[in-house]
Amino acid sequence: MALDGKTAIVTGAAMGIGKAITEILLKNGAKVAVLDVNKVEGENLVKDLNKEYGADRALFLSCNVESDEEFKAAFQKAAEAFGAIDILCNNAGILNEEKWQDMISINLAGVIRGTYLALEHMRKTNGGGGGVIVNIASMAGLGPLLTCPVYTATKHGVIGFTRAVAAASAASNYGIRVNALCPSFVGTELFTTIEHKLGQFAHLKGAANQLVEKLGVLNTPEVAECILELVTDETKNGEAFMVRTEMKGYVPFPSLSSTDKP
Ligand SMILES: NC(=O)C1=CN([C@@H]2O[C@H](COP(=O)(O)OP(=O)(O)OC[C@H]3O[C@@H](n4cnc5c(N)ncnc54)[C@H](O)[C@@H]3O)[C@@H](O)[C@H]2O)C=CC1
Ligand SMILES: CC/C=C\C[C@H](O)/C=C/C=C\C=C\C=C\C(=O)[C@@H](O)C/C=C\CCC(=O)O
């Protein structure tokens, strides 16, 4: 899928990984709607991006992914401004084990909400042009992060939802691919402020620090490169792509097909 002339929505795009995703999509010719709850950061970013990439290439839309109305309105405004939507990156997420209900609401329900809205706008069986959705999960969606059980649960949920909806979209001829990205640690505000956001298992932070030592810390452009691969490779649907400092690749899952022997 070439990105020239394509249009994208990125959630949680005012900073961190979402900002890097926005930049790589713009660099490759797409127009991007930057959705975020942080109006100041979002508006400033879009001002700078439009100076760098050309007027009206980026659009800021204030949107909390927890709100059906705000998300719906943002999709509508982006579609009106750009003509259609081809790409959605469900990136908005938080890590705060003390506010675990908020994490479920943003990290998992927000991804489901965004995906279902995108299916309505983009599916070929509803007059749309098809497209691609990338959900930002985490390596914590593949295995347990001891200090963060609820964060781990939300990211496992994102991967399960992504795989199921991808298969359902293909079986329904929607023309929409859905994939998940699973980065290890990335040097953003979410990562650098973690110490203050651990809940009852904060005493295990030594183990988390050892994991950081072992896995290292990615930078946001490295993560954005992987998004580009998931967006442009039209052979990929229902995949989880893991990226770590020393390796990256598609994650194998056990086959549970009824034709397989146990
Ligand atoms: N930083 C890391 O180590 C890793 C992060 N991730 C995931 O990547 C995604 C982005 O994380 P980072 O860039 O690191 O975080 P960040 O904290 O640097 O940026 C998150 C952005 O999302 C926005 N946001 C938060 N709640 C929102 C809501 N309810 N609605 C709309 N926007 C909202 C924030 O205002 C901010 O601009 C998250 O889903 C996170 O779980 C995955 C693996 C590693
Ligand atoms: C402190 C949390 C900061 C950011 C959250 C973010 O989403 C990053 C997560 C990064 C790593 C997740 C690790 C998951 C660990 C597991 O799956 C463990 O069960 C296995 C641990 C290590 C495997 C390394 C290896 O030996 O190859």
Side-chain angles (χ1 to χ4, degrees), residues 67-139:
S67 158
D68 276 328
E69 285 111 73
E70 288 186 22
F71 219 158
K72 217 174 191 172
F75 256 87
Q76 203 56 44
K77 282 184 195 157
E80 279 162 18
F82 294 153
I85 307 298
D86 305 298
I87 300 160
L88 169 67
C89 292
N90 281 308
N91 164 76
I94 62 165
L95 198 167
N96 191 334
E97 289 290 320
E98 287 178 345
K99 296 186 176 168
W100 61 263
Q101 292 93 336
D102 293 350
M103 266 198 304
I104 295 171
S105 175
I106 296 170
N107 296 8
L108 181 56
V111 167
I112 296 170
R113 190 169 289 117
T115 301
Y116 280 160
L117 271 169
L119 295 183
E120 272 317 288
H121 274 260
M122 289 157 49
R123 70 183 158 94
K124 288 184 172 170
T125 51
N126 195 30
V132 57
I133 300 170
V134 182
N135 294 329
I136 312 305
S138 162
M139 221 180 120

Side-chain angles (χ1 to χ4, degrees), residues 48 111 120 188 199 205 225 237:
D48 292 346
V111 167
E120 272 317 288
T188 66
K205 69 179 178 215
E225 284 290 343
N237 186 42

Side-chain angles (χ1 to χ4, degrees), residues 32-75:
V32 184
V34 168
L35 274 52
D36 209 288
V37 280
N38 189 332
K39 284 188 195 176
V40 175
E41 287 284 336
E43 279 169 358
N44 285 338
L45 174 65
V46 162
K47 224 178 266 169
D48 292 346
L49 292 174
N50 280 332
K51 262 188 217 147
E52 189 170 349
Y53 295 100
D56 301 328
R57 290 281 308 284
L59 168 71
F60 175 70
L61 296 168
S62 173
C63 172
N64 183 342
V65 299
E66 292 180 276
S67 158
D68 276 328
E69 285 111 73
E70 288 186 22
F71 219 158
K72 217 174 191 172
F75 256 87

